[in-house]
Amino acid sequence: MTTHPPLLAARDLKKHFTIKGGIFSREVDRVHAVDGVTFDISAGETLGLVGESGCGKSTTGRCILRLIEPSSGQIWFQGQDVTRLNGEALRAMRRDMQIIFQDPFASLNPRHTVGGIIGEALVIHGLAKNRHELDDRVAHLLETVGLLPDHRHRFPHEFSGGQRQRIGIARALAVQPKLIVCDEPVSALDVSIQAQVINLLEELQEKFSLTYLFIAHDLSVVEHISDRVAVMYLGRVVEIAPARELYDNPRHPYTEALLSAVPIPDPRLKRKRIVLQGDVPNPIRPPPGCHFHTRCPIAEPRCSQEVPLLERSSEGHWVACHLRR
Ligand code: SF4
């Protein structure tokens, strides 16, 4: 889907969680969290992955890192199928792919100093020869994310939310990854702090040639940082396009509805708000055909029978809709 060979390619990725019940603990149902997701990310690119909560975007990010095992599909990273890696090869891959979590407080061990938290990955991957070098590298990483070297002696609770997210970023950077999955990294932060953290991520991308999968539930958050944006609904990607193209020319009715809720900075311009009827359907029994047909303002009878494939609409712009191509 991109013009350069991708650093990461997800192909028909699925994650179905089994629900067990009864005295024999048999499978009684299945949550279709990720239901056939395909996308590429080129080296140095940021792909924004957007959708309402429960649409499967965080599960997609965790499957890519093998923090949870995909049910099926392939994940190609630097020419290797990540789903087939084990042992030392999986450990080496994990050094190249890191994650920044949504809740910086919950993701930092409260009993460890900041130095211990950031240094742990350096120790695990043998990236510091001795105590002195470990100390130096942790101090340098803290400076890189805008904190002070002396902060390494403090504990997570002594920092603000924005500072804790900077610690999470320093931990991810410690092993010099190529790709970072940013899983809603600013959602838990005040609006005033969000821009600072996004600016920092952009600076670090430039400095270290990083590639990001940037997950968010809000299109306005990913607008400035993303080169391309993929929109997910109930486990499927429904639209993917270069960021500017997606914001100026959305094709999928769901993307249009999401975009209609994004405020426009110029008060003279007005956008008609599209309010979707009903709730997101239960992912245990997603609607047949197009998952969006129960809420789509332009649905036709065939939408509830035929699954729309993700097809090319224009250069780099892909849409899964029977009526909008
Ligand atoms: Fe709406 Fe049908 Fe397109 Fe789905 S396929 S988004 S229901 S028009």
Side-chain angles (χ1 to χ4, degrees):
M1 287 190 201
T2 53
T3 46
H4 305 292
L7 177 72
L8 180 98
R11 291 287 174 268
D12 200 21
L13 189 63
K14 292 185 182 168
K15 178 63 190 178
H16 297 167
F17 293 101
T18 305
I19 300 173
K20 293 189 173 164
I23 48 170
F24 297 112
S25 206
R26 289 208 182 104
E27 177 179 333
V28 289
D29 249 320
R30 216 171 248 219
V31 179
H32 298 71
V34 179
D35 207 15
V37 161
T38 291
F39 59 77
D40 293 344
I41 313 180
S42 298
E45 184 184 37
T46 298
L47 177 70
L49 189 59
V50 176
E52 290 162 287
S53 58
C55 71
K57 53 195 191 302
S58 288
T59 306
T60 301
R62 282 166 167 73
C63 282
I64 283 166
L65 296 163
R66 291 265 310 268
L67 294 178
I68 48 181
E69 291 298 328
S71 305
S72 65
Q74 297 171 330
I75 303 158
W76 293 90
F77 180 69
Q78 303 186 111
Q80 279 185 304
D81 185 355
V82 170
T83 61
R84 292 173 184 272
L85 297 182
N86 288 306
E88 184 52 38
L90 181 60
R91 209 166 73 95
M93 182 281 293
R94 288 218 163 107
R95 191 184 142 182
D96 285 336
M97 286 207 258
Q98 290 289 305
I99 185 165
I100 300 167
F101 294 98
Q102 174 180 356
D103 184 345
F105 197 56
S107 67
L108 302 175
N109 189 328
R111 291 190 200 87
H112 289 187
T113 62
V114 166
I117 290 167
I118 298 173
E120 187 182 16
L122 293 167
V123 172
I124 288 172
H125 291 280
L127 295 173
K129 288 192 213 79
N130 51 47
R131 181 82 229 174
H132 181 67
E133 191 179 326
L134 183 66
D135 234 29
D136 270 3
R137 290 190 73 154
V138 169
H140 182 64
L141 281 160
L142 285 168
E143 285 183 309
T144 304
V145 298
L147 296 172
L148 299 172
D150 271 357
H151 283 153
R152 65 192 187 281
H153 305 300
R154 298 200 196 165
F155 290 87
H157 72 266
E158 298 178 65
F159 294 88
S160 67
Q163 287 175 318
R164 286 197 288 257
Q165 196 52 291
R166 286 173 190 265
I167 296 165
I169 294 168
R171 177 177 57 184
L173 283 182
V175 291
Q176 300 166 349
K178 296 191 172 79
L179 177 107
I180 300 182
V181 173
C182 306
D183 188 6
E184 304 228 26
V186 297
S187 302
L189 304 177
D190 290 346
V191 174
S192 57
I193 308 294
Q194 289 186 354
Q196 292 173 16
V197 172
I198 288 182
N199 287 344
L200 173 66
L201 287 168
E202 286 184 315
E203 283 165 31
L204 296 171
Q205 180 170 42
E206 174 104 11
K207 194 167 176 185
F208 299 113
S209 305
L210 294 167
T211 303
Y212 292 145
L213 175 63
F214 195 101
I215 297 169
H217 58 260
D218 184 342
L219 270 169
S220 61
V221 170
V222 297
E223 181 169 3
H224 296 293
I225 197 169
S226 303
D227 297 296
R228 290 182 305 131
V229 175
V231 177
M232 274 186 85
Y233 186 80
L234 265 188
R236 293 177 183 161
V237 170
V238 296
E239 184 160 12
I240 185 164
R244 200 60 274 146
E245 162 76 3
L246 188 104
Y247 287 84
D248 290 346
N249 184 28
R251 304 290 300 148
H252 197 281
Y254 179 59
T255 312
E256 280 181 339
L258 286 184
L259 266 178
S260 77
V262 173
I264 303 174
D266 186 341
R268 289 165 302 176
L269 299 176
K270 291 240 180 311
R271 198 184 257 148
K272 190 165 173 277
R273 182 83 196 262
I274 302 167
V275 181
L276 294 175
Q277 302 302 314
D279 295 325
V280 180
N282 189 338
I284 294 176
R285 268 170 228 94
C290 173
H291 284 349
F292 188 57
H293 82 259
T294 54
R295 302 171 82 197
C296 180
I298 59 166
E300 288 188 343
R302 73 163 164 156
C303 299
S304 59
Q305 290 148 23
E306 296 167 32
V307 177
L309 301 176
L310 194 62
E311 291 182 356
R312 189 176 176 276
S313 161
S314 60
E315 182 63 40
H317 195 157
W318 297 68
V319 188
C321 174
H322 294 309
L323 306 185
R324 300 276 188 82
R325 296 240 168 93

